[in-house]
Amino acid sequence: QVQLVESGGGLVQAGGSLRLSCAASGLTFSFYAMGWFRQAPGKEREFVAAISQSGGFTYYADSVKGRFSISRDNAKNTVYLQMNSLKPEDTAVYYCAARARGASSRSYEYSSWGQGTQVTVSS
């Protein structure tokens, strides 16, 4: 049974930083591309970033490009999202997801999801 557990969310002031982690179990982690998505209140879930199985390819939403960085440690079965220069509009529940193929920005292409971690950015 695949399990994804996010951590690292919290309350931060605008301009601050947070690092999210997503620990995976129940899968051969290195076989899976990983993605981060977020959902703000009253809005649809949106793509944030994705990383290929080896970590050699990364992909970002335009809204976070240059501020967020996705990485992974296959030895630890963990994917990270470093978030810098945070803005109030980054406030959302952040989810990690696993896909047994290449990295994608389409949420419906991911088969496994975590429960999410709340990120709140105050102005």
Side-chain angles (χ1 to χ4, degrees):
Q1 180 180 353
V2 177
Q3 188 172 15
L4 303 176
V5 179
E6 301 96 336
S7 61
L11 173 64
V12 64
Q13 289 188 333
S17 298
L18 282 175
R19 188 194 196 202
L20 305 184
S21 300
C22 172
S25 60
L27 76 169
T28 304
F29 186 69
S30 61
F31 287 4
Y32 285 74
M34 300 297 294
W36 284 98
F37 293 78
R38 66 187 182 186
Q39 188 167 18
K43 295 188 176 181
E44 293 187 354
R45 189 171 299 188
E46 66 173 0
F47 169 73
V48 176
I51 189 166
S52 62
Q53 290 90 326
S54 68
F57 172 76
T58 56
Y59 181 28
Y60 297 93
D62 287 344
S63 59
V64 306
K65 203 171 293 183
R67 299 188 298 123
F68 290 12
S69 177
I70 188 171
S71 62
R72 66 189 294 159
D73 185 337
N74 285 351
K76 295 182 178 180
N77 286 7
T78 302
V79 62
Y80 305 97
L81 185 69
Q82 178 67 43
M83 306 186 294
N84 299 326
S85 302
L86 283 160
K87 305 175 181 180
E89 52 263 44
D90 294 319
T91 295
V93 176
Y94 283 71
Y95 300 89
C96 70
R99 179 176 190 244
R101 296 188 69 178
S104 171
S105 63
R106 302 178 183 89
S107 60
Y108 60 82
E109 293 184 341
Y110 287 80
S111 56
S112 300
W113 292 81
Q115 293 300 305
T117 185
Q118 176 71 47
V119 171
T120 303
V121 184
S122 63
S123 57

